[in-house]
Amino acid sequence: MTMAGAGALQMLRALTGRIIRFGRDRHGVAAVEFAFIAPIMLILYFITIEAVQGIETSRQVSRLGAMVADLVGQQDTMSKEALTGIMQIGETTMRPYNRSAPTITVTAIKISSDQKGAVPTVAWSGKLVNGLYAAGPAKNTTVTVPPELKIGDSFLIRVESNLGYKPVIAWSDKENASGLTGIFNNIEMNEVYYARPRIRREISCTNC
């Protein structure tokens, strides 16, 4: 065998030995595995946090409606200013969530009895939009109520709570966000709560 051939064979053996040693070397395996697993674990972690926050916010929307309906039902009479204050109190139940503001609509429904049967109509209404008072459904407008609540000569208080939930991981201050952010940036949460007056049979509102 020539010297050149022997040198080549020796280099090949040395390269083969290095490859074998590299295959047997376990130094740094944990770091490589962590590099693969860490992103998946972080994604699962943040998804879990968002799911918990979303469920809790949905419960807060439900509590908001119950609180507002209960406070309105305890009044003898109502005014636009008093209604605004009650809805603003209800809005505070959403804290610490503050990435979007709920819309709260309070509607007093009078159910009269005539030849057509029980007819629910709006006695008065008002809503809170971005912390400010706005007009609700027009007076004397016919509305629908659950069949079990459609009782003649009765009075109902309906509170509708609506929230566009914005998760932290997809939160954008842009109204028309696109892509993944746009899909998850405005998740609708809605709740409708009915109650009856506590003190009087009917609650009037002077300027609603």
Side-chain angles (χ1 to χ4, degrees):
M1 181 181 295
T2 63
M3 293 182 63
L9 181 60
Q10 186 177 3
M11 291 179 60
L12 180 60
R13 289 176 179 174
L15 179 61
T16 304
R18 290 181 180 179
I19 293 174
I20 293 173
R21 288 194 300 272
F22 179 78
R24 293 176 179 174
D25 191 358
R26 289 293 180 263
H27 291 87
V29 171
V32 174
E33 291 177 346
F34 179 78
F36 280 109
I37 297 174
I40 299 174
M41 297 300 293
L42 287 173
I43 290 172
L44 292 175
Y45 174 74
F46 284 115
I47 289 176
T48 302
I49 290 177
E50 284 293 357
V52 171
Q53 288 185 348
I55 293 171
E56 179 58 27
T57 303
S58 179
R59 290 176 179 174
Q60 288 175 307
V61 172
S62 299
R63 288 195 292 267
L64 185 159
M67 175 184 287
V68 171
D70 182 61
L71 291 175
V72 172
Q74 296 180 44
Q75 309 304 311
D76 291 329
T77 59
M78 185 61 61
S79 65
K80 180 173 70 174
E81 294 74 20
L83 182 60
T84 301
I86 290 175
M87 291 189 291
Q88 288 174 342
I89 291 173
E91 187 180 32
T92 62
T93 63
M94 298 304 302
R95 297 176 182 171
Y97 175 83
N98 61 357
R99 294 186 292 276
S100 58
T103 297
I104 307 169
T105 304
V106 179
T107 305
I109 301 173
K110 185 175 182 178
I111 305 177
S112 60
S113 292
D114 54 21
Q115 64 274 14
K116 297 180 181 180
V119 181
T121 57
V122 175
W124 51 264
S125 183
K127 64 167 53 175
L128 191 73
V129 182
N130 293 323
L132 300 175
Y133 180 87
K139 187 177 180 180
N140 297 325
T141 302
T142 302
V143 294
T144 58
V145 299
E148 61 272 17
L149 298 178
K150 194 175 181 181
I151 303 172
D153 294 324
S154 63
F155 196 87
L156 290 174
I157 300 165
R158 182 175 69 190
V159 179
E160 300 168 82
S161 310
N162 305 282
L163 178 72
Y165 178 72
K166 297 183 178 182
V168 174
I169 58 175
W171 182 27
S172 173
D173 57 356
K174 297 179 181 179
E175 292 295 329
N176 298 317
S178 59
L180 182 63
T181 300
I183 295 174
F184 295 101
N185 194 42
N186 197 31
I187 302 173
E188 288 294 327
M189 295 182 177
N190 306 298
E191 183 70 25
V192 180
Y193 192 90
Y194 288 89
R196 295 191 183 277
R198 297 285 192 89
I199 300 176
R200 292 190 174 183
R201 185 178 179 185
E202 295 184 7
I203 302 173
S204 62
C205 184
T206 57
N207 58 352
C208 295

